[in-house]
Amino acid sequence: MRGGLQAALWLALAALATVHFRDDRVGRTRAEAFAREWGFDVRKPAYLEQVQLEPSADLASGAMAEAAVADEIGRVRWSELDAREREAWMEALARRDEMLGAAHALALSAVAANPGFPFHAYRAGQLAYLSDRRRGAESLKRDRARWLQPLRLTTRRAPGFDAGWSFLAGAMVEAWPLLTDDERVEGRRVIRRAFLDPAMARQAFGAVAAELGTDGASALVPDLPGPLAAVGRQVAETGDVTAAAAIRWRWEAAERRAREADLARLELRARMGDADGLRAGCRAFVSAHSPLEMDGPAGRRQAARLLELWPPDTAGSWRNDGRAALLRYVLDGRHESMSGEAVARAAASLTGVPDPERARLALLAGDRYGWEGVLRESKTLGSLEWTSFLTELARAELAGGRHQAAREALERIAPSARGECEALLVRREIAEAEGDEAEAAQADQRLAELRMPGPGVAPSSSLTSLSLCVDPRADSGQVLRLELVAPAPALIGWEVNGGRRGSVVVSGSALLDVPFDGLQGRVVVSVTSLAGPRPVLISASRKAATEAPVTSASVTEIAGTERSNSTRP
């Protein structure tokens, strides 16, 4: 009896397998016939090969449904086609409506065979929408359940599938005038989710703004750096300065939060001893958060901590490695709170580092043997490119009480650079340390000449960058006051030594104050136009930080890239 039941069971399973195999062959045959009917075997043979390799008939049908979607929304480079391919394309284009209908039927058969697989519903919804769109607005409105229902199903069953949200959002925006009030409420929710993808935000923001207005569309952009940055560029190009400024300031706040959160995650990985995760996270941090984009005390502390956390890594290039970007940022006068051990570890992993930078990094790391070795091997010592290292070396020797070594370092500077700002600052320090009042006074007088009468500019100058000598003693409590004139509202940003310090809207005559505190030596201050017309720089002068502006708009920098205050009477 028991043996008979087992035999019956095996026979039933064999029958089911036979039926499944037959159905699978029928499904595959249908997908292959579709491919040949519409010329995919000539135009896109890779899809036909995929059909033959898929493990089940429903996936084979799904592959051809995907090919049909790509046909409708993709592009063809006719110059790259041969005569046979062009003929196949012309035939397919002539019967495109019919092909989309057949592809939709194929997608529905895949849904019926495997209803739990959300990507079959996704293709069915795409094809229904593309087919109805070709027939016009009335068809889109009357038959919208054909595409809305499967696309909604996709987002419910695969909520992490960004493409599903993006296509549904794009379809709803295109059909916005045809939707009911309830569907528009849903549409806003769908768009907000789709905008989590920066590429979608960049691509679709203009269409959404055309339906909802710029403010309405902006309200749907999540407070995340990626989407806000993508939308900010789109809005800036429209010339809507008010909207561009609002997006910019939202981005700055989101970027600060993201940096703090990402750094906290790196700290956690470090405590857990996850070296591989920490290494990957450090690379991702630099890729996502350029240190130059948000310069200031907070950004510098983050850069220093990131270098400390970065575990030993494979060799990288000075030109494009993330550690090199941090080190270049540090070398440009931002090495406070920097760990010498972290600098040495990062520098040792980089190739192609120029000799002056190698020596500066070794000096910053406290590696005397290292920088002395670079000096012995270098054939360019004494050229202008070594000025920064030699002034830093002189200051380091002076700090160690080695006055003669400090003077020797200064004497190795190229003659044409010995009268430069940084060299004079160090020369004055050495003279004062040795009690040489005459030399100190001479250096002080030369520094005053470099500073005065100030970084003047010609009226109506189009100059956007100023190079000036900052004496931390004479310039203490001072600001660089830039007088700008904007013919219409403009969003501008300002930078110090390439690091963005903040952004503000100016209109008419305006003043921008850049503090000198924390700066010394040769400093470059730049003003960049982020949206609207480029303001004209009228004048630049040193002023006491307490001296109130007198023009119609005043801008004062707040360190750490926080938005500055602008007041108008």
Side-chain angles (χ1 to χ4, degrees):
M1 182 66 176
R2 184 176 179 181
L5 287 175
Q6 287 181 337
L9 177 61
W10 286 116
L11 286 173
L13 290 175
L16 286 174
T18 300
V19 171
H20 176 75
F21 177 78
R22 183 197 63 196
D23 292 343
D24 186 79
R25 288 309 308 157
V26 170
R28 287 181 185 277
T29 300
R30 185 187 302 118
E32 292 174 358
F34 175 87
R36 293 188 171 88
E37 170 69 16
W38 303 105
F40 286 102
D41 55 334
V42 176
R43 299 184 295 115
K44 298 179 179 180
Y47 279 105
L48 182 57
E49 294 175 6
Q50 185 177 348
V51 165
Q52 296 164 346
L53 294 173
E54 289 289 1
S56 63
D58 66 287
L59 294 178
S61 297
M64 292 317 305
E66 178 186 352
V69 171
D71 250 22
E72 178 67 2
I73 65 177
R75 295 182 178 180
V76 182
R77 295 185 178 181
W78 291 92
S79 61
E80 299 178 1
L81 303 179
D82 59 29
R84 182 166 174 258
E85 290 170 336
R86 290 185 184 182
E87 182 180 357
W89 269 105
M90 293 302 293
E91 291 178 0
L93 289 172
R95 302 169 59 200
R96 176 58 59 83
D97 289 346
E98 187 182 350
M99 186 271 285
L100 289 174
H104 182 241
L106 193 64
L108 290 178
S109 72
V111 172
N114 189 356
F117 191 60
F119 302 106
H120 291 334
Y122 174 56
R123 295 302 178 198
Q126 283 185 301
L127 289 163
Y129 178 79
L130 295 173
S131 179
D132 289 349
R133 185 175 65 172
R134 277 182 160 268
R135 290 196 291 270
E138 185 58 34
S139 179
L140 272 179
K141 181 178 181 179
R142 182 184 63 248
D143 299 328
R144 61 182 179 276
R146 284 203 330 141
W147 52 272
L148 267 177
Q149 184 175 346
L151 291 174
R152 285 168 174 163
L153 182 65
T154 302
T155 59
R156 286 199 301 270
R157 291 186 175 175
F161 181 47
D162 287 345
W165 291 100
S166 295
F167 192 90
L168 177 56
M172 296 185 83
V173 171
E174 281 191 358
W176 197 262
L178 311 175
L179 301 181
T180 66
D181 289 343
D182 288 344
E183 287 168 345
R184 291 182 182 184
V185 170
E186 177 193 3
R188 287 180 170 85
R189 178 182 62 81
V190 170
I191 293 168
R192 184 186 298 276
R193 169 59 181 83
F195 277 178
L196 287 174
D197 179 5
M200 178 60 183
R202 179 172 53 252
Q203 177 183 350
F205 183 83
V208 176
E211 296 294 345
L212 305 180
T214 301
D215 289 345
S218 298
L220 299 178
V221 181
D223 281 323
L224 296 172
L228 287 169
V231 168
R233 288 188 288 269
Q234 303 296 309
V235 176
E237 291 175 359
T238 68
D240 188 339
V241 173
T242 301
I247 291 290
R248 173 72 194 186
W249 295 330
R250 284 177 62 192
W251 175 84
E252 289 177 358
E255 178 69 6
R256 281 193 292 272
R257 290 193 300 269
R259 288 175 183 235
E260 291 168 0
D262 288 349
L263 191 59
R265 280 189 283 270
L266 293 178
E267 297 279 8
L268 177 60
R269 289 188 180 278
R271 290 194 297 271
M272 295 172 62
D274 180 8
D276 290 339
L278 181 59
R279 186 178 297 109
C282 288
R283 294 174 187 166
F285 190 102
V286 176
S287 177
H289 310 296
S290 168
L292 291 173
E293 271 296 328
M294 299 193 77
D295 190 19
R300 296 175 188 187
R301 287 192 297 270
Q302 289 171 346
R305 184 55 181 154
L306 188 61
L307 272 179
E308 290 178 5
L309 290 171
W310 205 309
D313 205 344
T314 55
S317 167
W318 176 254
R319 293 176 60 88
N320 52 30
D321 191 89
R323 291 161 295 179
L326 289 173
L327 291 176
R328 287 192 293 269
Y329 175 76
V330 166
L331 286 178
D332 206 353
R334 303 180 179 96
H335 47 74
E336 60 267 27
S337 304
M338 187 60 60
S339 161
E341 180 183 350
V343 170
R345 183 171 61 248
S349 299
L350 297 172
T351 60
V353 183
D355 284 349
E357 279 67 33
R358 273 207 302 150
R360 292 180 69 193
L361 291 170
L363 180 63
L364 186 57
D367 180 8
R368 189 177 191 92
Y369 178 80
W371 63 258
E372 285 182 343
V374 177
L375 294 187
R376 285 194 301 270
E377 297 171 2
S378 176
K379 298 179 181 179
T380 63
L381 183 61
S383 60
L384 290 174
E385 63 184 354
W386 283 91
T387 302
S388 293
F389 166 75
L390 292 171
T391 55
E392 291 165 1
L393 174 60
R395 184 169 277 118
E397 298 284 26
L398 180 61
R402 296 178 291 275
H403 296 181
Q404 183 59 34
R407 284 194 173 277
E408 290 174 358
L410 279 185
E411 294 305 316
R412 301 175 83 171
I413 294 176
S416 60
R418 291 175 188 172
E420 258 300 313
C421 183
E422 190 65 28
L424 288 169
L425 288 173
V426 180
R427 186 174 296 279
R428 184 179 65 184
E429 292 177 24
I430 296 173
E432 290 176 343
E434 295 178 340
D436 190 338
E437 296 181 0
E439 184 175 3
Q442 185 180 24
D444 212 27
Q445 180 180 359
R446 179 58 184 143
L447 283 168
E449 292 172 357
L450 289 179
R451 293 178 60 253
M452 299 300 291
V457 296
S460 302
S461 172
S462 61
L463 187 66
T464 56
S465 294
L466 293 169
S467 177
L468 58 153
C469 176
V470 177
D471 179 350
R473 183 182 303 170
D475 287 317
S476 177
Q478 298 267 312
V479 298
L480 173 66
R481 178 158 295 170
L482 304 178
E483 182 181 1
L484 306 166
V485 172
L491 176 63
I492 63 170
W494 65 94
E495 302 174 355
V496 177
N497 291 340
R500 182 71 54 81
R501 294 294 185 93
S503 58
V504 73
V505 173
V506 296
S507 182
S509 179
L511 297 181
L512 175 65
D513 287 351
V514 180
F516 286 129
D517 291 345
L519 303 176
Q520 71 171 5
R522 183 59 57 181
V523 172
V524 177
V525 176
S526 305
V527 177
T528 58
S529 180
L530 302 177
R534 180 185 296 275
V536 174
L537 180 60
I538 300 299
S539 67
S541 58
R542 284 176 167 85
K543 298 288 183 181
T546 56
E547 183 177 339
V550 295
T551 55
S552 62
S554 168
V555 181
T556 304
E557 179 194 42
I558 299 177
T561 69
E562 293 181 2
R563 178 159 57 93
S564 299
N565 298 319
S566 179
T567 59
R568 298 179 64 187

